[in-house]
Amino acid sequence: MRRRGHRSLERDETALTAVIEFLSAFALFLMILTAFLALAQLQMGSNDPAVDRLDRSAVQGLDRLTSDAGWFVPGNESAMDYQNATADWHLQSAEDLDEGRVQAGLVVDGALSMAKINAIQNLTEGDMVDGLGLDDGFSIHLTIEVIASENSSRIGEMLFDGGTERRTAQASSTANRQFIQDGETWRIVLEVHRGGRLNNDLHITEVMTRPASGGPEWIEIYNPNDYAIALRGWSLNHTSSEISSDYLFKSGVIAGKTTLLFTGDATSQAVGSASQVIDLGVHGYLGVGMFNGLADGSGVLTLRYTQVDEARPYDMFRAEWGGDTGLFMITGQSLAWDGNSTATTSWFIEESPTPGDQ
């Protein structure tokens, strides 16, 4: 009996050991499986196709932006001129870039090119999105910042900062890269958004309604954005007790941080440092000599924008003179904006007009 009991105890101990070993092995298997799944999640992302597409677009877009010098293909609505394609896209005008196709590359000989960074101001955000090969409905925000420098005053300087704000988009993804050159570290951050409202913003900065010596009427417009703004969808509206007129722009582009002059006569217009001059005298919207397009005594000039797929224009900027404003111009004076707001108190009479010198 004692021998039989001893054998029974041995069997129980063996079975218990086997159970313990099995449970230990199973626990180890679960730990390995958990680690594998965590690693797979880290590598594969959220498994949400929309989020994965955003992540991929941000990474690929930044790679295209920082892999080489980029390229430009001249063209128009009907055809692309591939034989005259060039890597010197930064030497093209905003109008040419908007009509052709450009992929903005910023790297020359392994370093970021300041000339190409400055030339981004000749691209609209839409041009940049198309050139980077992003999907329809995507928007971007690009920043290039000095984050370290031997010159302490350069730290934090923004070399470029423009595009759609993240807060206006449904979802976003970000990619970044750093370049060390000339004793400094520059960081490029590319945000890719699904949706979002484009940062369209133009300012009326000066208006001439009573030109001297038979000169032209003119309107000065400034683009405060780092990206260029396509004029398609923008319009000018002028109203007074005697005159009411509208002009809708179907084409054209104004480069970032530049001034545009609309004039009644481009041949006699003083342009200052304006990047371009557009003749609205040929359309009868602005006058020259004895012909008035803008009311002399009292009037309202409104800059409007119509979003894509929307019928209603939005008033973006407004200038008003005469009437209750107390702003009455005599010959040779202009109405100028002080840069603060669009309120009547932000406008004043300029004794010495400076067309094109915002």
Side-chain angles (χ1 to χ4, degrees):
M1 291 292 295
R2 184 177 304 173
R3 186 183 299 271
R4 188 180 306 136
H6 180 69
R7 287 198 297 269
S8 175
L9 181 59
E10 288 180 345
R11 287 197 297 271
D12 291 344
E13 290 177 349
T14 301
L16 180 60
T17 300
V19 169
I20 292 174
E21 290 177 348
F22 170 79
L23 291 176
S24 298
F26 184 69
L28 180 60
F29 168 76
L30 290 178
M31 291 173 63
I32 294 173
L33 179 62
T34 301
F36 173 78
L37 291 176
L39 182 60
Q41 178 72 8
L42 177 63
Q43 292 178 340
M44 297 175 60
S46 63
N47 294 321
D48 183 336
V51 174
D52 290 345
R53 188 175 64 170
L54 270 176
D55 292 341
R56 184 170 60 252
S57 296
V59 172
Q60 291 179 347
L62 182 63
D63 181 65
R64 289 167 182 160
L65 191 64
T66 59
S67 61
D68 56 31
W71 47 259
F72 168 66
V73 181
N76 50 46
E77 294 181 356
S78 59
M80 294 287 106
D81 183 6
Y82 293 101
Q83 291 186 349
N84 288 312
T86 176
D88 293 331
W89 64 268
H90 62 296
L91 301 180
Q92 315 302 316
S93 68
E95 295 87 345
D96 289 341
L97 290 172
D98 195 51
E99 291 178 358
R101 187 69 180 267
V102 59
Q103 180 181 303
L106 304 180
V107 176
V108 177
D109 297 329
L112 290 173
S113 166
M114 198 63 226
K116 290 183 179 287
I117 291 175
N118 289 335
I120 300 176
Q121 293 183 346
N122 287 331
L123 291 170
T124 68
E125 184 180 339
D127 292 335
M128 179 76 87
V129 168
D130 291 342
L132 295 179
L134 304 183
D135 292 347
D136 290 341
F138 280 8
S139 59
I140 60 174
H141 190 279
L142 176 67
T143 58
I144 304 175
E145 180 183 8
V146 179
I147 61 173
S149 175
E150 297 172 352
N151 181 355
S152 60
S153 65
R154 288 264 294 168
I155 299 176
E157 181 176 340
M158 282 293 183
L159 306 179
F160 186 90
D161 183 9
T164 298
E165 298 296 332
R166 179 183 296 185
R167 57 184 172 78
T168 68
Q170 301 171 356
S172 302
S173 184
T174 302
N176 69 84
R177 184 179 177 185
Q178 294 183 8
F179 285 79
I180 300 176
Q181 56 190 67
D182 301 326
E184 296 185 332
T185 302
W186 296 1
R187 180 172 59 201
I188 300 180
V189 179
L190 178 66
E191 296 177 2
V192 176
H193 313 302
R194 185 169 67 246
R197 182 173 288 271
L198 295 180
N199 195 21
N200 281 349
D201 189 19
L202 295 176
H203 298 160
I204 301 174
T205 48
E206 198 169 354
V207 181
M208 170 60 73
T209 66
R210 288 193 173 191
S213 305
E217 297 175 335
W218 48 266
I219 302 169
E220 183 184 85
I221 303 288
Y222 179 68
N223 177 9
N225 306 282
D226 273 20
Y227 279 115
I229 298 293
L231 293 177
R232 187 174 185 272
W234 288 85
S235 61
L236 287 168
N237 172 262
H238 167 245
T239 58
S240 70
S241 58
E242 301 88 15
I243 304 172
S244 180
S245 57
D246 292 278
Y247 186 82
L248 175 66
F249 295 95
K250 299 180 181 179
S251 62
V253 62
I254 174 173
K257 305 294 185 183
T258 65
T259 299
L260 169 64
L261 276 175
F262 300 116
T263 179
D265 180 21
T267 62
S268 62
Q269 177 67 59
V271 300
S273 59
S275 61
Q276 57 181 306
V277 176
I278 296 180
D279 190 346
L280 294 188
V282 296
H283 302 286
Y285 190 82
L286 293 178
V288 61
M290 298 299 294
F291 176 76
N292 285 339
L294 301 177
D296 289 344
S298 177
V300 178
L301 179 67
T302 307
L303 184 62
R304 295 175 170 176
Y305 179 68
T306 305
Q307 290 281 355
V308 177
D309 299 328
E310 293 184 9
R312 177 190 172 193
Y314 291 89
D315 291 352
M316 305 296 289
F317 219 86
R318 174 188 174 101
E320 184 175 359
W321 60 96
D324 295 334
T325 67
L327 300 171
F328 295 93
M329 291 168 280
I330 62 175
T331 301
Q333 293 180 336
S334 65
L335 181 68
W337 181 51
D338 66 7
N340 292 325
S341 70
T342 57
T344 303
T345 54
S346 292
W347 293 89
F348 63 94
I349 300 299
E350 177 60 70
E351 299 287 345
S352 303
T354 56
D357 294 328
Q358 190 274 337

